[in-house]
């Protein structure tokens, strides 16, 4: 990983990678690096510090990684949801709580498959994985076949956790930044649930002087989703609440310094069968403590 300049250069010296990719340049670690320009500079080190025989994979759907691709003279594999001339081109035709309907082509070989991962943002991850498959010598048909075998997400990444009362938890609290929070909220807005929607939001770390504005921005976005209730965990509850006030405040709003089990149990009294509870915050907020306090389905 990286959150300072020079770290990826050093990691390339150690690992001497054969295949490299920057999946995205967003606002994660902006508090450490100071700007998206610096974030992009730090991430581009993985391309600049890799050897001449390294295969470089590029995301053509991000302005920063597009610029990196234009500067690169190495062997390239490109992926995109908008440019059908890319080596890997995929679009999510349909989103459900069970997964994605993907269609597109891999090196000109068309395909259509259902993949059991949640959220439109995973289209980019699946394209990246497919590009890596090409880089290690897999043929396109084998990649299409493999996509269909993917199972549930890893711990804390869009993980569906059923509760004993029939509600479901979307546990996405492995980590968080303004971009990943916005993606989660967009998914929650786009996708229907049988019951009501709840949100447990935690602080987003490593934002430095951008913290207040970022949490206010996410609060405003959250207000537009139509949550029945929100529980905010962390020190930026006031900034989040200011954002909510600009949009729409839910019927229930709680805040606390930590994900303490008592508050978790109080909040869970509102859940009934068919409800969806989204949980997201930075790793340091330990929001799994709240989920572990709820009646999980055996």
């Amino acid at each position: 990983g990286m959150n300072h300049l020079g770290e990826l250069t050093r990691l390339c010296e150690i690992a001497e990678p054969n295949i490299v990719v920057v999946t995205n340049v967003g606002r994660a670690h902006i508090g450490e690096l100071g700007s998206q320009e610096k974030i992009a500079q730090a991430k581009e080190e993985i391309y600049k510090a890799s050897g001449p025989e390294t295969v470089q994979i590029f995301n053509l759907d991000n302005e920063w990684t597009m610029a990196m691709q234009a500067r690169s003279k190495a062997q390239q594999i490109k992926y995109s949801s908008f440019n059908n001339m890319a080596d890997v081109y995929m679009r999510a035709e349909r989103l459900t709580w069970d997964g994605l309907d993907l269609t597109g082509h891999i090196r000109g070989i068309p395909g259509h498959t259902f993949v059991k991962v949640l959220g439109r943002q995973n289209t980019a991850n699946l394209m990246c994985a497919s590009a890596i498959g090409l880089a290690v010598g897999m043929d396109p048909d084998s990649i299409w076949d493999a996509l269909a075998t993917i199972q549930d997400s890893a711990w804390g990444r869009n993980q569906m956790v059923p509760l004993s009362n029939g509600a479901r938890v979307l546990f996405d609290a492995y980590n968080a930044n303004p971009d990943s929070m916005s993606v989660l909220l967009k998914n929650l807005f786009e996708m229907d649930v049988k019951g009501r929607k709840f949100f447990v939001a935690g602080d987003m770390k490593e934002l430095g002087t951008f913290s207040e504005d970022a949490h206010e921005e996410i609060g405003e976005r959250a207000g537009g989703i139509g949550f029945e209730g929100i529980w905010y965990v962390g020190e930026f509850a006031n900034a989040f609440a200011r954002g909510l006030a600009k949009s729409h405040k839910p019927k229930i709003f709680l805040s606390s310094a930590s994900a303490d089990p008592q508050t978790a149990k109080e909040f869970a009294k509102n859940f009934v069968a068919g409800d969806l509870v989204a949980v997201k915050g930075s790793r340091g907020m330990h929001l799994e403590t709240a989920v572990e306090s709820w009646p999980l389905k055996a």
Side-chain angles (χ1 to χ4, degrees), residues 27 177-178 181-182 185 199 201-202 204 211-227 230 232 236-250 253:
R27 287 179 285 175
N177 61 62
M181 275 282 199
S182 296
L185 292 170
F199 189 27
M204 300 174 289
S211 294
E212 288 283 332
D213 288 345
H215 286 87
E216 186 172 328
E217 172 192 325
I218 295 303
E220 185 173 1
R221 288 178 184 269
I225 306 303
F227 289 113
I230 295 176
Y232 190 88
F236 293 103
N238 289 338
F240 185 90
R242 284 198 304 272
L244 275 179
K246 292 180 181 179
S247 184
H248 177 75
K249 201 163 184 179
F253 181 74

Side-chain angles (χ1 to χ4, degrees), residues 24-30 35-36 39-40 43 62 64 177 179:
N24 189 46
V25 176
R27 287 179 285 175
H29 314 303
I30 199 168
S35 68
Q36 274 193 284
I39 294 169
K43 290 193 173 191
N62 179 275
W64 301 97
N177 61 62
D179 301 304

Side-chain angles (χ1 to χ4, degrees), residues 13-72:
E13 291 170 354
I14 295 166
E16 298 180 352
N18 302 109
I19 302 164
V20 293
V21 56
V22 175
T23 56
N24 189 46
V25 176
R27 287 179 285 175
H29 314 303
I30 199 168
E32 302 289 341
L33 286 154
S35 68
Q36 274 193 284
E37 287 83 0
K38 288 291 185 183
I39 294 169
Q41 181 184 339
K43 290 193 173 191
E44 192 172 12
E45 290 176 14
I46 202 169
Y47 294 126
K48 291 182 174 180
S50 56
E53 303 303 315
T54 302
V55 178
Q56 300 190 351
I57 297 172
F58 291 95
N59 173 10
L60 298 187
D61 296 344
N62 179 275
E63 61 177 312
W64 301 97
T65 52
M66 282 179 66
M68 295 176 197
Q69 183 271 326
R71 289 189 285 268
S72 169

Side-chain angles (χ1 to χ4, degrees), residues 52-199:
E53 303 303 315
T54 302
V55 178
Q56 300 190 351
I57 297 172
F58 291 95
N59 173 10
L60 298 187
D61 296 344
N62 179 275
E63 61 177 312
W64 301 97
T65 52
M66 282 179 66
M68 295 176 197
Q69 183 271 326
R71 289 189 285 268
S72 169
K73 304 301 181 185
Q75 179 185 348
Q76 299 181 3
I77 298 175
K78 293 165 278 194
Y79 64 90
S80 174
S81 280
F82 300 100
N83 183 347
N84 63 7
M85 300 302 291
D87 298 282
V88 178
Y89 169 75
M90 294 177 186
R91 296 189 71 86
E93 296 292 331
R94 185 175 64 97
L95 285 76
T96 74
W97 291 107
D98 297 313
L100 301 171
D101 257 330
L102 277 187
T103 187
H105 72 77
I106 300 172
R107 286 248 168 96
I109 304 301
H112 176 264
T113 190
F114 186 79
V115 187
K116 295 179 182 177
V117 296
L118 181 66
R120 190 182 298 278
Q121 78 283 357
N122 274 309
T123 306
N125 296 326
L126 295 164
M127 289 191 296
C128 179
S130 300
I132 292 169
L134 290 175
V136 299
M138 290 180 70
D139 64 86
D141 286 322
S142 296
I143 295 171
W144 277 117
D145 290 343
L147 289 170
T149 69
I150 294 171
Q151 294 299 311
D152 295 336
S153 300
W155 184 93
R157 295 185 184 273
N158 287 310
Q159 184 182 5
M160 294 301 296
V161 180
L163 299 183
S164 61
N165 66 354
R168 292 188 297 172
V169 177
L170 175 55
F171 180 55
D172 193 33
Y174 176 83
N175 218 338
N177 61 62
D179 301 304
S180 64
M181 275 282 199
S182 296
V183 165
L184 172 70
L185 292 170
K186 187 173 186 297
N187 285 333
L188 291 167
F189 179 76
E190 285 186 355
M191 297 166 69
D192 293 328
V193 300
K194 291 181 180 178
R196 304 160 302 165
K197 298 173 185 176
F198 292 83
F199 189 27

